[in-house]
Amino acid sequence: MASSPAVDAALRTTPSPLAIDLGYGGRPDTAVEMATRLRVAHPTLRLVGLEIDPARVVAPIGDVEFALGGFELAGRTPQLVRAFNVLRQYGETEVAGAWRQMQDALAPGGVIVEGTCDEIGRRCCWILLDADGPRSLTLSWAPEHTDRPSDLAPRLPKALIHRNVPGERIHDLLTLADRCWDVAAAHASFGQRNRWRETLALLKASGVPVDLPRKATRDNVLTVPWEVVAPG
């Protein structure tokens, strides 16, 4: 999120932006880290962690607040919502309703980052949404812990995880990403990150409108417009 132009733009719509970490879980670590990282570029950012379980609501940590709330965002109107590993426990048919609740609560120009990751963030997949709907899908992974792009399939957001089957766009994308990864194998001698940069170039040459990173990244990252992977 800290390097996302869309998130940066949303947080610049007001002098004192509000961000929410929805469903931070049994420990408030993600909310505190989120505040620390986002405040590098947005020092006046306010951050609130929300939990639906009253037993998990803790006292403020520094200037990070915590409160009881769910998809309605406890009556707040944030510029940014992070909802990770929240919708995994819901059915696919419940996703649209949860999205709509969060979208209705957004401040003008706000965005939602909704996705799934493993326990320590080595593999992450998220959808970026605004008030009008999904805008993009991003896959991000630490190359030393992942052999192929399709290894991220079990971490796809709930809206896509059951769609990774032949005939669906997300399956086509992961299949093509694996194929380009294989073709780029000769670049592995220069490191897996160099191999991934070549993979991205091959994907783009194949007609996939991928975002090419403006600078080197620690993780391998693939971002595509939502229409590239939208179900059906």
Side-chain angles (χ1 to χ4, degrees):
M1 290 186 296
S3 62
S4 165
V7 169
D8 182 70
L11 294 178
R12 292 191 185 279
T13 59
T14 179
S16 184
L18 172 63
I20 287 179
D21 187 14
L22 178 63
Y24 54 83
R27 293 173 57 92
D29 302 3
T30 58
V32 175
E33 181 179 1
M34 181 174 162
T36 300
R37 290 181 180 272
L38 292 177
R39 283 175 180 155
V40 172
H42 305 278
T44 59
L45 178 134
R46 297 168 293 137
L47 196 133
V48 177
L50 293 182
E51 252 298 333
I52 200 168
D53 182 354
R56 290 180 167 180
V57 177
V58 299
I61 299 177
D63 50 6
V64 177
E65 302 174 36
F66 299 91
L68 188 68
F71 296 123
E72 81 297 335
L73 305 183
R76 290 170 165 84
T77 54
Q79 279 70 37
L80 171 64
V81 179
R82 174 191 181 273
F84 252 67
N85 298 323
V86 175
L87 283 171
R88 282 188 71 84
Q89 58 191 310
Y90 290 79
E92 185 180 357
T93 58
E94 299 175 279
V95 170
W99 281 358
R100 177 46 57 192
Q101 278 188 279
M102 293 187 287
Q103 289 169 291
D104 288 345
L106 282 176
V111 294
I112 300 162
V113 176
E114 188 272 302
T116 305
C117 65
D118 66 4
E119 291 73 15
I120 59 174
R122 293 174 300 185
R123 298 179 183 178
C124 305
C125 304
W126 65 87
I127 297 167
L128 179 77
L129 306 102
D130 60 17
D132 296 323
R135 291 170 50 179
S136 62
L137 171 73
T138 296
L139 312 182
S140 176
W141 64 96
E144 59 268 24
H145 297 290
T146 303
D147 293 328
R148 309 172 63 73
S150 62
D151 289 348
L152 270 77
R155 299 296 172 178
L156 288 169
K158 178 60 75 169
L160 294 173
I161 193 168
H162 302 299
R163 302 290 182 152
N164 186 31
V165 294
E168 290 281 355
R169 296 184 183 96
I170 183 60
H171 183 269
D172 293 343
L173 176 66
L174 291 177
T175 300
L176 180 58
D178 278 357
R179 188 178 306 134
C180 291
W181 178 253
D182 291 341
V183 172
H187 292 258
S189 58
F190 302 104
Q192 295 291 56
R193 291 170 180 82
N194 280 290
R195 181 180 178 181
W196 178 244
R197 282 194 287 273
E198 176 63 16
T199 302
L200 282 177
L202 291 169
L203 280 167
K204 195 170 187 68
S206 299
V208 180
V210 299
D211 282 353
L212 297 178
R214 292 174 293 180
K215 58 182 180 180
T217 59
R218 183 180 65 179
D219 293 337
N220 292 345
V221 180
L222 171 60
T223 298
V224 296
W226 178 248
E227 56 266 24
V228 172
V229 295

